[in-house]
Each structure stands twice: as structure tokens, then as C-alpha cells.
Amino acid sequence: MPVACPAGTRGLEARLRRDGGHCALLTSYTHDSEPMQTTVMLRALDERAPLPFRVPLEEVDTETWTHTLSEGAFATFGATTQWWEAHWRDDGVPLPTAAPAARHATALVAPAPGARPAPPRGPSR
């Protein structure tokens, strides 16, 4: 019987689906052997976002085939890449998460009413 993913994961997935068009994909990496993880580096398109760099991190539990999704928030590209490189070197650095209030403050602005969304870029899955 599959185990449900944590409520925080479901909420973050919903927010990323809703707000995903308001950020640019900078890079991503998937590690397919234990521990299975995927990281994605995003940049807010809104120049006023105080923490414009985001890194969703998905960790897969291969015994239950469930996953946990968390998100880190960074003020600069340099801080983001420093964490990214340390994470993939397995330095044991924690993902710096944004406080809930900061997350709402950095919510990206929705397009103006009547604005047409931009077509997706790049290959799709």
C-alpha cells in the first residue's frame, strides 16, 4: 500500500505548479542512485523578489516509492550555486528554507488580467 506524501510536499507541489511560469529554469540535476534526488535551480522573473533564487529538492524513498519535496530560498546566484555545489559534493549542508512569511512576500506577481501566458520553452516531458 503506498504511503501518502507529507502535506508540506503537496502544498509546495501545488504552489510550484501555480507559480512555475513566473520563474526561469537555470539548471536541474537528478541523481538516479541511492539516495535518489532531483534539484532544480529557479530564478524569479520579478526583479523585486527579495529571495529570487529557489531550489526545489525532491528526495525519493525507494522502499515506499514516496517522495518529499522541500524548497530553499537564496538572495544571490552566488549563494545558490555555493549551496548547490556543496550539496552535490555531499557536504551535508542543509537547504536554507524560506520562512512562511517570506515565501508569501516573494510570491510572484500574476500576469495582468487578459494577458496571454507565454508559450512553454524547451523540451517537455
Side-chain angles (χ1 to χ4, degrees):
M1 172 182 240
V3 178
C5 63
T9 292
R10 289 190 303 272
L12 181 54
E13 287 173 337
R15 188 177 60 74
L16 288 171
R17 278 192 298 274
R18 183 183 66 243
D19 296 343
H22 300 285
C23 44
L25 172 66
L26 301 179
T27 191
S28 66
Y29 179 73
T30 299
H31 186 260
D32 289 329
S33 55
E34 294 294 328
M36 290 179 67
Q37 296 183 344
T38 298
T39 52
V40 178
M41 189 183 301
L42 304 172
R43 168 74 162 93
L45 298 178
D46 181 356
E47 294 295 324
R48 298 168 294 169
L51 297 171
F53 295 93
R54 299 295 176 135
V55 177
L57 168 63
E58 178 187 42
E59 299 176 277
V60 176
D61 180 338
T62 57
E63 290 184 21
T64 61
W65 288 109
T66 58
H67 69 117
T68 302
L69 186 62
S70 54
E71 178 184 48
F74 303 86
T76 66
F77 180 73
T80 311
T81 56
Q82 183 178 11
W83 177 87
W84 183 281
E85 291 168 2
H87 175 75
W88 289 114
R89 277 193 313 264
D90 201 21
D91 289 353
V93 293
L95 184 63
T97 57
R103 239 182 242 158
H104 294 298
T106 61
L108 301 173
V109 178
R116 297 182 63 170
R121 290 180 256 166
S124 62
R125 291 184 179 222

